Amino acid sequence: MTATTPPPAAGGRPAVGPRPPVPATAGGVGVGGAVLLVATRIGLWLVVQLGLAGLLLLAGAAAAGQALDEVAGWWLVYAGLVELGTLGVIGWLLRREGGSYRDLLGPPTAAWAVAVGALGVLAATLPAVVFSGELTSAVYGQGAIAPMFAIVDLPPWASVLSVVVVPLLAELAEPVAFLGVVLPRLEQRLGRPWLAATIVVAVWAAEHACFPLLASGGGLDWEFAAYRVGSVLPYLAIWTAAYYALGRRLLPIMAARWVFNCGSALALALGLVQ
Amino acid sequence: MHSRILYRLTWLALVLSLGHHLDHLIRGNAVGWPVTDEVNAFTASLIVYPIIITGLLLYHAGRVGPGFWALVSGGGAAFVAAVHFGPAAVEPPELILDHYDQPMLGWLAFGWLVVFVSVLAITCLYETRLWASQRQARHVAQPAPDAEAGR
C-alpha cells in the first residue's frame, strides 16, 4: 500500500480508498484486538477517574459527593494517561500481528495535501459545532458552557500540559485506534463498510460518556453522560465520513482534530471560555 | 469514467435539499418567491435544482468532472452554512427549533439541516480528492513535452 492515488475499482469506478492492511487473523485475533483496544480505553477512563477519586477520599481531600467532580476538573490532563495506554495497546497489536504505525495512517500524503485536507475537515466540522452548541443551550440553558469545559480547573503547569502534550497524544492515539485499527477490522469481519462505520461511531461516541464522570444527587450524572454522547456524535460521524472521503487518509483528520482540541484547551487555559 | 459514489452522494444531497425546502414550506417563516412575493435566500436557493439536473446531464455526457461537482457541493455547503450557521445568519437555528409545535419536530428539522450541510461538505472533500487524483493520473499518462521533443 504505497499508492498515493487509490486504484480504480472494478468497472473503472474510483474506489473510496484502499483498505488499510488488516492482518490475516483479522477475523479472529483482529477483531479481538479491536475489542481489546476499545475495552482498554473505557477501562482506563474508569480506573483513572475512580482511582483518583478514591485517593482524594482516602486522603480526606474531598467529601464523598465531591470527589468525582474534583477529579473531573483535571480530565484534560489525565486523558494523557488513557492515550498513552491506547498507544501501548496499538504497539502491542502491531508487534503481535505485524505492520507499522505508519501503515495505520493510510496512503502517503504530501504535506500540502494534509494541510488542505485538514482545512476541509475543519470546515466540514462546522455543522457539528453548531449542533453541539444548540444541544448545550437546550439542556443547560442559553449561553451555558458545556459542563466538561465549565468544570476544568487547572493550575498553570497543568494547563500547559493540557494544551501542548495531551492534544498531541490524543491525535496519535484516538483516531488511529478507532479509524485505523478498529474500523478496518470490523469492515473485514462484517463485509459492510457502512455497518462497520456505524458501529465505530456509536462505540466511539459511547466512550465519551465515560469522561469526565460527574456526580449528581449522590450518583452519576446520567443526564450529562447522555448529553456528552449526543453532543459528540455529529463530530465523530463527520470525521469518520471524512476518513472515507479522503481515501482513508488519517493525517488530515488528525491535524484538524489537533487544531480543534488544542484550540479548545488553549481557550480554557487563557480563560477565554467564561 | 463516472464515479458511482459521486452519483449516489449527489442524489443524497438532492433528497436532503428537497427535505430542507419542505421544512421551510411547513414552517412558513422563511420562504420567498414563488410561495410569497418576496425574493430572498429561499428563492436564490432554488437555483440548485437546475444546476444539479444540468450537472448530472453534463457529467453523464463527460462534459464536466468531479471539479465541477466539488464547486457545486462546496458552494452549496458555504451558502447553506452562511444562511443558517454564520455569525450574520438570516435564518439561525432558532428559526427552525422554535417554530414547530412539537419540539421533537424542530430538532428533527434542525438535525436534517445539520446532516444536509455535513453531506455537502463531505461530498466536496470526496469530489476534490477525486478531481486531484484524476488530474494526477492524467499527468502521469501524458509524457512531458521535453521528453517528446528529445526523441
Side-chain angles (χ1 to χ4, degrees):
Chain A
M1 188 203 51
T2 52
T4 307
T5 305
R13 291 166 180 149
V16 168
R19 187 178 293 175
V22 176
T25 52
V29 177
V31 171
V35 172
L36 173 70
L37 193 52
V38 173
T40 300
R41 285 184 60 83
I42 292 175
L44 278 173
W45 279 117
L46 297 178
V47 165
V48 168
Q49 291 174 97
L50 296 175
L52 288 172
L55 284 177
L56 286 181
L57 283 175
L58 283 175
Q66 297 171 335
L68 267 181
D69 287 351
E70 289 286 335
V71 170
W74 285 71
W75 77 273
L76 286 178
V77 175
Y78 58 68
L81 296 175
V82 179
E83 307 306 353
L84 281 174
T86 304
L87 284 172
V89 175
I90 291 173
W92 181 79
L93 286 172
L94 287 173
R95 277 196 304 276
R96 186 184 166 96
E97 301 177 351
S100 69
Y101 181 84
R102 179 62 192 83
D103 289 340
L104 301 176
L105 306 182
T109 312
W112 68 266
V114 172
V116 172
L119 285 175
V121 173
L122 278 173
T125 306
L126 175 69
V129 175
V130 174
F131 180 88
S132 183
E134 291 298 327
L135 189 63
T136 304
S137 295
V139 177
Y140 295 103
Q142 196 67 36
I145 303 168
M148 62 275 192
F149 295 131
I151 200 163
V152 170
D153 183 19
L154 298 171
W157 67 266
S159 291
V160 171
L161 269 181
S162 75
V163 173
V164 178
V165 178
V166 177
L168 192 61
L169 283 175
E171 291 328 307
L172 292 174
E174 190 182 334
V176 178
F178 283 102
L179 299 178
V181 177
V182 177
L183 182 57
R185 283 165 166 75
L186 273 182
E187 283 178 324
Q188 185 139 335
R189 179 65 170 260
L190 299 171
R192 294 187 183 94
W194 66 268
L195 180 60
T198 304
I199 292 172
V200 164
V201 170
V203 171
W204 198 356
E207 187 210 83
H208 284 73
C210 302
F211 65 96
L213 292 176
L214 297 183
S216 174
L220 283 178
D221 188 344
W222 293 107
E223 183 186 74
F224 168 70
Y227 154 81
R228 184 94 166 99
V229 173
S231 71
V232 82
L233 194 65
Y235 287 94
L236 304 179
I238 286 169
W239 290 332
T240 303
Y243 172 70
Y244 285 108
L246 293 170
R248 297 175 186 270
R249 287 170 173 82
L250 262 178
L251 282 172
I253 295 164
M254 293 161 75
R257 278 174 42 99
W258 177 80
V259 169
F260 199 82
N261 290 330
C262 192
S264 300
L266 186 63
L268 283 168
L270 297 177
L272 300 176
V273 181
Q274 298 287 336
Chain B
M1 185 173 69
H2 296 115
S3 165
R4 188 179 54 176
I5 295 171
L6 192 151
Y7 273 123
R8 285 181 177 176
L9 287 170
T10 303
W11 285 111
L12 175 62
L14 184 64
V15 169
L16 288 166
S17 177
L18 283 168
H20 180 60
H21 276 126
L22 182 65
D23 160 48
H24 274 259
L25 292 174
I26 294 171
R27 279 184 284 123
N29 61 346
V31 289
W33 187 88
V35 181
T36 67
D37 290 338
E38 187 187 0
V39 174
N40 55 19
F42 176 87
T43 311
S45 68
L46 296 177
I47 193 74
V48 73
Y49 299 110
I51 289 176
I52 289 177
I53 291 167
T54 308
L56 283 172
L57 291 172
L58 291 175
Y59 185 62
H60 187 71
R63 304 296 294 272
V64 296
F68 165 82
W69 287 112
L71 282 174
V72 172
S73 304
F79 176 80
V80 182
V83 167
H84 290 284
F85 301 153
V90 291
E91 295 164 26
E94 289 71 30
L95 223 57
I96 300 172
L97 288 165
D98 300 340
H99 280 77
Y100 280 91
D101 291 337
Q102 299 285 333
M104 190 55 75
L105 287 177
W107 277 97
L108 181 67
F110 177 59
W112 185 284
L113 171 65
V114 168
V115 172
F116 177 35
V117 181
S118 303
V119 164
L120 286 176
I122 295 294
T123 301
C124 178
L125 280 181
Y126 171 72
E127 290 157 346
T128 303
R129 180 177 69 82
L130 200 60
W131 174 68
S133 62
Q134 285 186 1
R135 275 179 62 91
Q136 193 180 31
R138 272 202 300 272
H139 278 296
V140 171
Q142 288 174 349
D146 290 350
E148 288 283 328
R151 280 180 192 167

